[in-house]
Amino acid sequence: MSMDNPSKATQHTKTCRIILFPLPFQGHINPMIQLADILHSKGFKISIIHTQFNSPDPSKYPHFMFHLIPDGVPEDQASKHDILRVLHILNTDCVPLFSECLGKLLSAHDDIACIITDAMIYSSQAVAEDLGIPRIALRTSSVCSFLTFAALPVLREKGFYSDNLDSRWEEPVVELPPLKVKDVLGIHIRNLDDTLKIVNDMVEGTKKASGLIFNTFQDLEEPNIANLHEHFRLPTFLIGPFHKFFSAASSSLLTQDRSSIYWLDTQKTSSVLYVSFGSLAAMDEKDLIEVAWGLANSMQPFLWVVRPGLVQGSEWLESLPDEFLEVTGKRGYIVKWAPQQEVLSHPAVGGFWTHSGWNSILESICEGVPMICSSFFGDQTVNSRYINDVWRLGIKLECGFEREEIESAIRKIMLEGEGRQDIIERLVCLKEKIDGFSSTSVNSLSDFISTFKSSVV
Ligand code: UDP
């Protein structure tokens, strides 16, 4: 998408520098690097502070400056998936190192306008205040999930987490329509108290920021925008989907297996279900086997990303029954990691069974691909509910991983029929709105940043 027609203020501040600090997980690195590219294309100079853990590859971005801080996160398999632990280290042990690095940059450059840090690195707010530099928070997920996170302390006060709610699992949460009790209770990762504290600190840190950026777009989130402005009275910019400007392929931490594209080339138009649960989700062997039999029984061709680490305690495919591989034969293709954006734009792909990660949802919407939604934790439970009940762009699996429900959802999404057709029509409508997206909101962000450094020309 072209980024022409820059406003006067944007031209005026061509030499400003912005410092960005991404959260070192795939679904957070991708949008931060894309945002860096968007801002660079508007004339800003970019410096990226990054951790050793899941480090981006600086050689891919000669137009940015990179500054490594030692983070103390062990580069082992456990850390790769232990989000709470990494978040804790980044917001505690890492803070002095981030502060030192930022302090040095501020001394070395007099053109720094602001820092943009992931909303989940909430401790960067206090560092920014100490050093007297404005901080803009980047929230890499949906507005609807952000507002749900913001409401969790109130739900907790109402006894939401202490009462035995198992019997009310399917009931609506009256405070947060259209969510069900199970959607809210499914948000936490392992430890409830730790999750709620981190989420709350993230929300409070965001309130103190000088600005807030979302990787989302107005037409999709309309029902929640007024609510957002009412509760978060800070300048807010909805400038997504970022990947429409710059692809996420360059920031992939794992090697994308291009054989998946060659396999798709051999398949019929809209015939293949693409299945991927993102970079962090983990499941047990029992669930993997339900997924496998759901795919096999649906009789539809599929491209399945089984990331090493997807199944706890297993290397890769050893938990899959031989019979599954025999039955599906050439109808299925399994890879460890795929070039997802390219896969979704391939004519052979007719549906996407996703874990409801926000980048995956945006990528699917932009390619007009109907979704089947699972969810594992965090924003995924909220995103999948919105896909099913509000935006009606796909089907949420309500029973977790259960082969009959999976088979039925795959048939509904993949086979021609009213359900699929209605979803495709809604996707076409949304896609038109995204394609018509002007660079107005990016220009407003650009102008906003320029006000921090109006003396720099
Ligand atoms: N992705 C990819 N190859 C894959 C699966 C995912 O390149 O095989 C990319 C995908 O395009 C997206 C990101 O990884 O940009 C995953 O982000 P998301 O928010 O969907 O989920 P997360 O990994 O954070 O749970």
Side-chain angles (χ1 to χ4, degrees):
M1 183 175 289
S2 85
M3 303 277 282
D4 50 11
N5 192 24
S7 66
K8 278 188 188 150
T10 313
Q11 286 172 334
H12 179 68
T13 54
K14 276 205 182 318
T15 55
C16 274
R17 178 174 296 280
I18 306 171
I19 314 265
L20 296 96
F21 187 20
L23 182 71
F25 286 111
Q26 187 72 77
H28 294 251
I29 294 171
N30 288 358
M32 186 65 95
I33 296 278
Q34 289 159 344
L35 177 64
D37 268 320
I38 291 170
L39 292 169
H40 183 262
S41 74
K42 301 301 291 181
F44 291 101
K45 289 186 273 186
I46 300 294
S47 293
I48 295 184
I49 295 180
H50 66 99
T51 53
Q52 181 73 52
F53 173 74
N54 281 346
S55 167
D57 177 357
S59 70
K60 289 184 181 158
Y61 313 95
H63 49 310
F64 300 158
M65 284 176 67
F66 284 85
H67 308 275
L68 172 72
I69 52 169
D71 49 59
V73 181
E75 277 279 347
D76 53 18
Q77 234 3 71
S79 306
K80 294 247 184 261
H81 306 108
D82 195 341
I83 309 165
L84 286 182
R85 178 163 163 235
V86 174
L87 281 171
H88 177 75
I89 293 174
L90 283 177
N91 283 295
T92 53
D93 307 4
C94 239
V95 174
L97 302 160
F98 171 63
S99 176
E100 190 188 333
C101 179
L102 184 58
K104 279 188 190 155
L105 284 170
L106 286 168
S107 307
H109 303 274
D110 60 3
D111 57 353
I112 298 172
C114 67
I115 63 169
I116 302 180
T117 67
D118 194 292
M120 297 304 298
I121 315 181
Y122 46 81
S123 296
S124 58
Q125 181 59 35
V127 173
E129 285 168 19
D130 277 355
L131 295 173
I133 181 94
R135 169 195 178 229
I136 300 177
L138 167 64
R139 183 65 196 136
T140 57
S141 189
S142 52
V143 170
C144 58
S145 64
F146 183 67
L147 290 171
T148 305
F149 286 0
L152 292 183
V154 174
L155 293 183
R156 184 169 215 186
E157 265 173 36
K158 290 187 174 179
F160 215 80
Y161 289 97
S162 41
D163 291 346
N164 181 357
L165 286 173
D166 284 356
S167 57
R168 294 174 44 199
W169 198 240
E170 295 289 342
E171 284 179 20
V173 179
V174 284
E175 296 83 353
L176 292 172
L179 299 188
K180 295 187 178 185
V181 168
K182 64 180 178 184
D183 302 329
V184 171
L185 295 189
I187 285 174
H188 76 274
I189 316 168
R190 261 191 6 256
N191 183 310
L192 176 67
D193 287 330
D194 288 354
T195 308
L196 291 184
K197 182 181 178 323
I198 281 178
V199 165
N200 193 45
D201 288 347
M202 182 276 284
V203 171
E204 292 307 313
T206 302
K207 281 184 184 158
K208 292 182 197 149
S210 302
L212 173 58
I213 302 171
F214 278 98
N215 181 16
T216 190
F217 59 105
Q218 181 96 14
D219 287 299
L220 187 67
E221 302 261 20
E222 201 72 68
N224 291 307
I225 302 292
N227 194 356
L228 177 72
H229 291 316
E230 191 183 320
H231 291 96
F232 292 83
R233 295 178 180 275
L234 71 166
T236 301
F237 304 87
L238 274 56
I239 60 171
F242 296 171
H243 76 276
K244 286 293 283 179
F245 296 100
F246 293 94
S247 144
S250 66
S251 46
S252 186
L253 295 167
L254 297 172
T255 306
Q256 298 180 323
D257 185 340
R258 296 203 54 78
S259 69
S260 46
I261 302 294
Y262 308 138
W263 181 80
L264 286 173
D265 288 342
T266 65
Q267 303 298 310
K268 290 193 190 124
T269 305
S270 299
S271 67
V272 176
L273 177 73
Y274 170 58
V275 187
S276 171
F277 301 136
S279 62
L280 293 169
M283 63 202 319
D284 57 26
E285 202 177 302
K286 186 179 131 294
D287 287 342
L288 183 90
I289 289 170
E290 290 301 301
V291 172
W293 285 117
L295 288 171
N297 299 342
S298 76
M299 303 304 287
Q300 303 305 305
F302 60 88
L303 168 62
W304 185 9
V305 175
V306 180
R307 199 193 69 238
L310 174 66
V311 180
Q312 286 139 352
S314 100
E315 287 284 313
W316 193 37
L317 298 179
E318 63 274 21
S319 329
L320 285 179
D322 292 342
E323 203 190 336
F324 162 76
L325 297 170
E326 281 156 27
V327 168
T328 52
K330 291 197 174 124
R331 179 156 62 78
Y333 196 71
I334 303 180
V335 292
K336 292 181 174 166
W337 196 244
Q340 180 162 302
Q341 258 180 260
E342 221 180 313
V343 165
L344 288 169
S345 65
H346 196 288
V349 170
F352 180 16
W353 180 4
T354 170
H355 67 306
S356 311
W358 191 240
N359 296 287
S360 294
I361 287 176
L362 290 177
E363 288 159 12
S364 201
I365 291 175
C366 286
E367 300 306 335
V369 179
M371 286 166 266
I372 297 173
C373 293
S374 290
S375 59
F376 291 77
F377 58 79
D379 61 330
Q380 298 158 16
T381 63
V382 182
N383 297 339
S384 55
R385 176 62 59 207
Y386 269 72
I387 289 282
N388 189 85
D389 289 31
V390 180
W391 303 321
R392 296 186 295 138
L393 303 174
I395 298 172
K396 180 176 166 83
L397 295 179
E398 298 286 355
C399 308
F401 296 99
E402 194 261 291
R403 66 184 76 180
E404 282 84 17
E405 189 190 21
I406 294 168
E407 180 189 338
S408 145
I410 295 176
R411 288 179 189 275
K412 275 191 203 136
I413 279 291
M414 296 302 295
L415 299 180
E416 288 307 327
E418 264 172 46
R420 175 175 169 83
Q421 201 44 42
D422 289 351
I423 292 175
I424 287 181
E425 276 163 26
R426 282 189 281 275
L427 282 163
V428 167
C429 206
L430 266 183
K431 232 166 90 77
E432 273 166 16
K433 288 178 177 156
I434 297 170
D435 289 341
F437 172 71
S438 71
S439 44
T440 315
S441 37
V442 176
N443 280 341
S444 325
L445 173 65
S446 222
D447 292 350
F448 175 68
I449 292 173
S450 76
T451 62
F452 295 132
K453 209 74 188 171
S454 52
S455 58
V456 178
V457 287

